[in-house]
Amino acid sequence: MLIKRKSIEAQANTKAGPGPDQEKSKPKAPAPVRKPKFAPVTLSELDGVRYLHFGTEWVQGAMRLRKPDAIELEYAQQMMSWMLFNDKPNTIVQLGLGTAALTKFSYRQFPDARITAVELNPSVVAICHSMFKLPPQDHRLNVLEMDANDYIHDPKRAGCIDALQVDLYDATARGPVLDTPEFYAACRDSLSEQGVMTVNLFGDHPSYAKNLKAMRFAFDQVISLPEVHDGNVVALAFKNAITPDFPALYERAAAITAATKLPAKSWVNGIKSNF
């Protein structure tokens, strides 16, 4: 569903230090700031579903036209599996807007929560408003046009986020654009004590093992759900390790399904397979 990596946001993880010749040379005038170049944002529709692409056949998100606030893709549904552990979040953050499926669902489902989405590409923000029914900003909904790495490293985020959803891909991505231990450590630090992060990974690519290793370095506990679609694997990362009470989780899953129609029982089954 999402392919190979090379993006503007990744530069924050791959900055090289000066070489010997650079250290000895005279200071140069700062280079002019260049605007980031993005792949074109394109759309397709099939059988009542609108899809977002970045100039390729790879799907970056979807919306069923008759149900604009529902979550269409199974991996995106799994990104909401943190609901099993917190039914009354105060702060929900989405890194990478996509079609705003997670942002819209969270905004409608949790009326007392503050929802923030962080997206680097202004065209994605614009098309979410015009073609994917993203509601206008208000006192609860905030859409920020900025680098997710800068956002999550801001000290003001520390301990503030109850649910963090990370889905950072570009047109050629098969793994998250941001994937270092330092990035995931900043994600951990941003979470409240019982906070949970969900991340969309790509299981059929070397980036999968790299991301799991980085997450396990930063978090007390990381659990992977079963693979769906063409390789998508959603991982849950817990700031503080849990000992699952599976009867209680199945009860909670039934309540989630009754309220939202999300297949929450399958999430519990996936979590159980890790134990």
Side-chain angles (χ1 to χ4, degrees), residues 215-266:
M215 277 188 275
R216 286 169 177 156
F217 171 83
F219 285 83
D220 268 8
Q221 189 175 38
V222 179
I223 296 171
S224 295
L225 296 180
E227 180 180 307
V228 295
H229 303 299
D230 292 325
N232 293 80
V233 176
V234 169
L236 294 91
F238 298 84
K239 184 171 186 176
N240 295 302
I242 62 165
T243 302
D245 178 346
F246 285 107
L249 286 179
Y250 280 116
E251 185 176 341
R252 172 66 184 147
I256 291 171
T257 301
T260 69
K261 298 184 180 180
L262 292 175
K265 182 179 178 180
S266 67

Side-chain angles (χ1 to χ4, degrees), residues 11-91:
Q11 293 177 3
N13 285 334
T14 58
K15 291 180 180 177
D21 294 338
Q22 291 173 305
E23 291 174 345
K24 294 177 183 178
S25 62
K26 294 180 180 180
K28 296 181 179 179
V33 177
R34 295 182 180 180
K35 293 184 178 180
K37 294 181 179 180
F38 300 105
V41 176
T42 53
L43 301 174
S44 66
E45 288 187 17
L46 179 67
D47 297 331
V49 178
R50 180 173 293 156
Y51 297 94
L52 175 70
H53 309 263
F54 292 158
T56 73
E57 73 276 16
W58 295 97
V59 171
Q60 301 286 338
M63 179 188 74
R64 186 163 294 278
L65 298 178
R66 289 188 176 183
K67 299 178 179 179
D69 289 337
I71 302 177
E72 177 67 19
L73 300 177
E74 186 176 2
Y75 92 85
Q77 294 173 354
Q78 290 184 343
M79 291 286 285
M80 298 299 304
S81 55
W82 58 263
M83 293 170 64
L84 292 166
F85 306 95
N86 189 343
D87 60 352
K88 294 181 179 179
N90 293 314
T91 304

